[in-house]
Amino acid sequence: MKRLFAFGCSFTNYRWPTWVDCLAPEFDHTQNWGQAGGGNHYIFNSVMEADQRNAFGSGDTVVVCWTSIDREDRYIDNRWHTPGNAYFAKTVYHQDYLRSHIDERGFLIRDLAYIKAVKTMLESRPGVNWKFLSMVEIMARPNADDNVSLYRDVMRLYSDVLDCILPGYDKTVFLNNWPKPGIDPHPSPAEHLAYLDAVLPGWVTKQETRVKMHEASINLNKDPTHSGMTKVTRL
């Protein structure tokens, strides 16, 4: 049985179809572990729990869509709380907390360690096909003569990890055109399809899928309260 395991934030699991829905018809079984607002800490834990429950093995496909680094996730009262960008979640993280506990370099070091851990685990599983997508570029890559970047040492240390991450939505379908003011910043189903065609050409093979994603894009605003988010069993 061909199984797909998908991980990410709202770009992975949202109230309308995402890249996961583009790929699901290519597999016999799909689990979508994405959650809106989820950061890379949440995504890392999701991958590890999914493996613990399902034992990734030969014939499985694992696709992780890493997100921006400036997110704080917490597990409280038996569920994950994922408010998204810490700087924007003002009702959760107050200015005093941001000043005393938030550090972009620290976020980067933390998240690259998580990504390396997932990469190392997946590489150790014979027969598992895996890919790393990205919502946005993790961080601008420093040039060889870059003396400005505060993070060039971090980026160079983890360069082999960064090389495994495919270009983000911001570098493909949203290049120089995102976020769009006044409208939902999430990719439409058609844009999700375009993203996969850009970074994983040939993965979407069914014409029926292409038709459904384009039709879903046309009807986006007809039922804005509709929830297309899937649920998985998790701690």
Side-chain angles (χ1 to χ4, degrees), residues 1-5 7 27 29 31 47-48 50-63 121-130:
M1 182 171 67
K2 293 173 57 180
R3 302 189 299 177
L4 169 66
F5 298 91
F7 304 88
F27 295 86
H29 173 77
Q31 291 185 22
V47 175
M48 294 303 166
D51 176 57
Q52 193 70 11
R53 290 180 179 276
N54 298 279
F56 300 154
S58 181
D60 289 340
T61 297
V62 177
V63 183
M121 184 270 284
L122 293 173
E123 287 176 331
S124 73
R125 302 299 175 86
V128 172
N129 183 24
W130 60 274

Side-chain angles (χ1 to χ4, degrees), residues 42-72:
Y42 164 83
I43 294 171
F44 163 77
N45 276 270
S46 297
V47 175
M48 294 303 166
E49 182 176 338
D51 176 57
Q52 193 70 11
R53 290 180 179 276
N54 298 279
F56 300 154
S58 181
D60 289 340
T61 297
V62 177
V63 183
V64 184
C65 186
W66 299 103
T67 190
S68 55
I69 65 172
D70 44 15
R71 301 188 177 198
E72 287 266 284

Side-chain angles (χ1 to χ4, degrees), residues 19-33:
W19 62 268
V20 184
D21 299 274
C22 296
L23 293 179
E26 309 289 334
F27 295 86
D28 302 311
H29 173 77
T30 298
Q31 291 185 22
N32 187 342
W33 288 70

